[in-house]
Amino acid sequence: MATTYHNEVDTSGQAVQSGPAIDLRHLGGQLHQLLQEADSEEAATEELCDLVRRLTRSRAVIFFGCDSDARLAVLPDYQWPEKIADATINQCYSLALNAVQTGVVQIVTATENNHSYAIATPVWRAGKPSEVLLLITEIEAELSQALPALVQLLQFVAAYAAQWRGRFGGLQQTVEANRIEKAWEAILAAEIPGQFTASVNRLADGLRQATGGSLVALGLCRSDAVVRLAGLSNELDYDRAAELSKCLEEVMSEALIGDERQGRRTSLSECRQTDSVQQLMLRTDACQLRRGPLRDAAGNVIGAYVLTGKSLSQGDDDRLLAAEGLVGTQLDLIRRARRRPWQYGTQWYRELHHQQKQLVWGFAVLAVCLVFLWPWPHRLSSKCEIQPTHRRFVAAPYEGRLEFVLVKPGDGVEEGQVLARMDAREIRLQRASVEADLIRAVKQRDTALATGDTAAAQMSQYEMERLRLKLQLLQERIDHLEIKSPIQGIVISGHCEELEGVRLSLGQTLMEVGPLGKEINLEVAIRDEDIAYAEVGQQVQFRLDSLPHTELSGAVTRIHPRAEQQGADNVFLADVQIDLNEQRLRPGMRGQAKIIAPSRSLFWLVFHRAWESVLFRLGL
């Protein structure tokens, strides 16, 4: 029996069906009976492996125990048949060692025969190194869907063996064995056909019975790091919106992070004291917590569990470790057997007679035609932006230096409010110089009059008038050093802080001030392929990026006759008067708008662009 095994099997994509029908109560009774009748642990192990061989009709069954150094023994404690090639034993030992190291069931196929499987199931013992139960079996192609059920059976046997391997003498007479046996049976018999939530609740309750906890929650992965609550123990009903449900989901999601995802269970003392963990302990009035990931038969993470209790012993932890794989496999089976609403419809359709099916198809075709011919609202999607109805630009009143700026874009301003101030030092120096020139011109005129030089006196008089006008200009500039807002509104643009101390030219734009309230409107960019369907007076519904939960409306008041280029799109701008006087609206806000055009049939809405494209290419 020298067979090479390779290729780890992934059963996660297979549709699960029930394998050979096995009475779990009868199987539990058989396991308990052979334990009571066995004279020694070795005899009980041999009877256990022989029972597995008969149930699974395996080609070989091997049990690897532990040696004196508490490591997995190279030579098996039990093997059937007695003669197995050394190469096969070595391969099986490597597979068993991998099962102990990873903590999950290992499944490989034979190189020569894809229907031959080797399955290694770890046996977690209380406070002692793990052992491995391994079997080699053949499953025909048409029965390959029963592989998960076979793995489930092995996990049940391994979990039962974990309770007495290493402490044979003291456990036979305890009532605890009967309780644990019933808990394993409850886990395997948890599935209720057609009732997903009730099945998961029974599975969680079975895990609670096996571990002695007070509350067990099971969840399924929705994404790589998000777990949704699937069931609670104690037959508790739960509301996904309740605080306890949210808290459990957060704690289970945290179990899929870091070492915990790799299979390391976390106690309360090792848990990161996050808000969700603290809230859960307060809500459940628990003192200890266990959590970890759940895996299917192929070792893929499918969900997580949380267990809380007043006091959890080392034995409870060992049983939890032994039950993790069994619960994960059973939860995967329940999840796959869950029937979706469309599956009920499919089953109902298959049960109809031929004439009834034809009638159903007739009604379906009629319904589709009605849907496609029924008029639906035609909405023209466009980008939009809030714009002021009129804009006022604030510019430099004269050439000079800018002293300081008091506002910045986004600030609200009142009419007449000071926005900036020009530097007055240069103007005052110019005025002093002009005043000195004026005094000198007056003296020159008086001297000319005294000497009778009429021409010189006339020239001095002209110079005096020029200097007086220049003084008036300088005084006016001094009186208008402060640059004020022409209207009430908001500063739309302008970064004047960079211009402080810089010499400005006459009329240079400093900032833009736009009005608020009723003096703003919406500017909609209509694509050129939609302009034929847009008209003045049509209603517009829009949402802004800054107010995503507020839907506003208005009406088209004007469509610009000339198209503009916005990026790669050719658009026509339309002005929309906003119905609601929303004080939070600011110029420059952008969003998405929909222009409500006349209703069209769904067929036209879906296919008119394609039809128009065909006509254009055909030149029609």
Side-chain angles (χ1 to χ4, degrees), residues 24-223:
L24 298 178
R25 294 184 178 275
H26 180 65
L27 176 59
Q30 286 181 297
L31 293 172
H32 193 64
Q33 182 178 0
L34 70 86
L35 179 63
Q36 290 180 333
E37 295 177 354
D39 297 331
S40 63
E41 185 174 289
E42 291 75 13
T45 303
E46 183 176 349
E47 292 293 334
L48 178 74
C49 295
D50 189 60
L51 177 61
V52 171
R53 177 181 62 83
R54 294 197 307 270
L55 290 174
T56 60
R57 300 178 183 177
S58 303
R59 293 175 51 197
V61 177
I62 304 174
F63 191 94
F64 289 96
C66 292
D67 56 18
S68 57
D69 295 330
R71 294 180 297 183
L72 194 67
V74 177
L75 297 178
D77 290 2
Y78 171 86
Q79 68 179 50
W80 184 92
E82 295 182 359
K83 294 183 179 181
I84 301 178
D86 293 341
T88 302
I89 290 291
N90 293 335
Q91 294 179 28
C92 292
Y93 177 75
S94 299
L95 183 63
L97 193 61
N98 193 24
V100 172
Q101 293 174 348
T102 60
V104 296
V105 177
Q106 299 294 313
I107 309 173
V108 296
T109 58
T111 305
E112 301 83 359
N113 183 5
N114 290 332
H115 302 314
S116 181
Y117 296 87
I119 307 173
T121 305
V123 179
W124 301 102
R125 299 189 301 165
K128 296 185 178 181
S130 301
E131 301 174 327
V132 176
L133 173 62
L134 186 147
L135 66 83
I136 301 174
T137 186
E138 288 189 359
I139 302 178
E140 298 298 331
E142 59 273 11
L143 297 177
S144 61
Q145 296 174 340
L147 181 60
L150 179 59
V151 172
Q152 185 185 32
L153 173 64
L154 290 177
Q155 289 178 321
F156 175 80
V157 175
Y160 192 86
Q163 306 307 313
W164 51 265
R165 285 286 300 176
R167 45 176 181 162
F168 182 79
L171 188 62
Q172 292 184 17
Q173 291 79 22
T174 62
V175 182
E176 186 72 8
N178 293 329
R179 182 182 68 84
I180 296 172
E181 175 187 339
K182 293 180 180 179
W184 298 145
E185 293 175 359
I187 291 175
L188 285 177
E191 183 176 355
I192 303 175
Q195 300 184 35
F196 173 77
T197 302
S199 300
V200 179
N201 288 346
R202 289 182 59 177
L203 182 62
D205 201 55
L207 180 59
R208 181 191 62 80
Q209 295 175 19
T211 57
S214 59
L215 177 66
V216 173
L218 303 179
L220 288 170
C221 291
R222 289 289 298 273
S223 63

Side-chain angles (χ1 to χ4, degrees), residues 336-352:
R336 295 176 184 277
R338 183 181 184 181
R339 299 183 66 182
R340 303 295 181 181
W342 60 270
Q343 292 177 320
Y344 289 98
T346 303
Q347 180 180 0
W348 170 79
Y349 176 76
R350 290 175 179 174
E351 295 175 354
L352 297 178

Side-chain angles (χ1 to χ4, degrees), residues 5-21:
Y5 289 90
H6 73 127
N7 295 338
E8 188 168 341
V9 176
D10 184 1
T11 62
S12 59
Q14 298 174 348
V16 177
Q17 296 180 355
S18 299

Side-chain angles (χ1 to χ4, degrees), residues 331-474:
L331 181 61
D332 184 50
L333 293 175
I334 295 174
R335 177 175 63 91
R336 295 176 184 277
R338 183 181 184 181
R339 299 183 66 182
R340 303 295 181 181
W342 60 270
Q343 292 177 320
Y344 289 98
T346 303
Q347 180 180 0
W348 170 79
Y349 176 76
R350 290 175 179 174
E351 295 175 354
L352 297 178
H353 300 297
H354 180 68
Q355 293 181 348
Q356 292 175 325
K357 290 182 179 179
Q358 289 182 334
L359 188 61
V360 169
W361 275 106
F363 278 111
V365 171
L366 179 61
V368 171
C369 291
L370 289 176
V371 170
F372 271 91
L373 296 178
W374 194 265
W376 294 81
H378 183 200
R379 292 182 172 88
L380 309 178
S381 298
S382 307
K383 296 180 180 179
C384 64
E385 183 177 356
I386 298 293
Q387 295 289 355
T389 54
H390 59 275
R391 305 179 181 184
R392 299 295 297 270
F393 293 93
V394 179
Y398 51 84
E399 183 178 358
R401 296 183 183 278
L402 183 65
E403 184 176 1
F404 57 80
V405 179
L406 299 176
V407 295
K408 58 182 179 296
D411 290 347
V413 295
E414 299 292 335
E415 183 178 357
Q417 178 179 337
V418 178
L419 306 179
R421 181 183 175 87
M422 300 293 291
D423 193 348
R425 291 174 297 178
E426 182 179 355
I427 300 177
R428 290 192 176 95
L429 289 175
Q430 291 179 3
R431 186 179 66 176
S433 176
V434 172
E435 289 176 346
D437 292 342
L438 179 60
I439 293 173
R440 184 170 55 252
V442 171
K443 291 181 178 180
Q444 289 176 354
R445 184 200 61 180
D446 294 342
T447 302
L449 290 175
T451 59
D453 189 352
T454 306
Q458 188 68 29
M459 291 296 296
S460 298
Q461 185 66 32
Y462 291 151
E463 180 67 14
M464 290 169 54
E465 292 178 359
R466 186 184 68 80
L467 294 174
R468 288 192 181 100
L469 291 175
K470 192 171 182 179
L471 279 176
Q472 292 179 4
L473 177 61
L474 294 175

Side-chain angles (χ1 to χ4, degrees), residues 16 92 96 126 210 214 229 233 242 276 280 311 343 379 417 458 498 589 596 606:
V16 177
C92 292
S214 59
L229 182 62
S233 62
S276 56
L280 179 60
S311 60
Q343 292 177 320
R379 292 182 172 88
Q417 178 179 337
Q458 188 68 29
E498 302 174 357
M589 289 183 173
I596 311 300
V606 173

